[in-house]
Amino acid sequence: MILFCLTTFLFACQSASQRNDKKPDSVPKGAPRVVSADSLIVPGKSIGNIKLGMDAAPVIKLMGTPSGGDAAMGKATVIWNNGDDLTAIYTERNMGVDDTARILQIRSTLPGYLTDKNIGVGVTLDDIELQMPVARLGEYSEGKDTFALYVTRAGISFEINRDQQCTGIIVHPAGTDPTKAYLPFHSNLRK
């Protein structure tokens, strides 16, 4: 009888330890992913290592020769185009007071940058609306395609294609309209 109880106890302990050692095969659906600092979008603050308010010169040096842009009256838009994806910054200088070109807006169409709520290029408008309130500001055209621009008060805007999928993100100061810049990213926006 003692041998039977001891064998049953050892078997139960072994089975329990085997169950506790088993790791889940995958992260549960809908669980937040950990986003590294260099891939994190912070509304009203930054995309990756590019931060609003920072001196644009080191960013331009790091990113290399821009593929395009525009400048006037101490304001500039600088664009790096990498095939279908682009990164752009809008800067302003406070001429006569601070001649440093400060970043006031950042635009990216690169997949892989995400908010802490897993919002980024490739997610649907429905997914965005589940995480934060957005308002449709207007629409613009690029080539033959038409996109809608949705804004938030938190300082992040979303470029949405006809399939209701996010194709680009703009980070700007919270509570501001990204189209009010002197050289807006979307000069043909129709409200």
Side-chain angles (χ1 to χ4, degrees), residues 10-30:
L10 287 173
F11 178 74
C13 289
Q14 183 180 12
S15 295
S17 70
Q18 286 173 345
R19 282 192 307 270
N20 291 337
D21 288 343
K22 188 174 181 180
K23 304 273 190 254
D25 294 333
S26 63
V27 176
K29 185 175 181 173

Side-chain angles (χ1 to χ4, degrees), residues 100-117:
T100 303
R102 301 278 174 200
I103 298 173
L104 296 184
Q105 292 185 22
I106 310 159
R107 178 183 181 216
S108 178
T109 64
L110 295 165
Y113 288 104
L114 296 169
T115 68
D116 62 350
K117 296 178 180 176

Side-chain angles (χ1 to χ4, degrees), residues 90-135:
Y90 169 72
T91 68
E92 287 187 6
R93 294 177 195 271
N94 191 356
M95 294 174 12
V97 177
D98 179 9
D99 286 338
T100 303
R102 301 278 174 200
I103 298 173
L104 296 184
Q105 292 185 22
I106 310 159
R107 178 183 181 216
S108 178
T109 64
L110 295 165
Y113 288 104
L114 296 169
T115 68
D116 62 350
K117 296 178 180 176
N118 297 321
I119 300 297
V121 170
V123 302
T124 66
L125 178 58
D126 288 342
D127 290 336
I128 294 168
E129 289 175 323
L130 288 173
Q131 299 296 327
M132 61 187 73
V134 295

Side-chain angles (χ1 to χ4, degrees), residues 49-110:
N49 295 320
I50 304 174
K51 296 176 178 34
L52 298 182
M54 76 185 299
D55 182 353
V59 174
I60 293 169
K61 184 177 180 178
L62 180 67
M63 299 279 289
T65 304
S67 53
D70 194 7
M73 305 293 293
K75 285 100 171 130
T77 300
V78 184
I79 301 166
W80 293 269
N81 201 334
N82 182 15
D84 292 335
D85 298 317
L86 69 84
T87 301
I89 58 174
Y90 169 72
T91 68
E92 287 187 6
R93 294 177 195 271
N94 191 356
M95 294 174 12
V97 177
D98 179 9
D99 286 338
T100 303
R102 301 278 174 200
I103 298 173
L104 296 184
Q105 292 185 22
I106 310 159
R107 178 183 181 216
S108 178
T109 64
L110 295 165

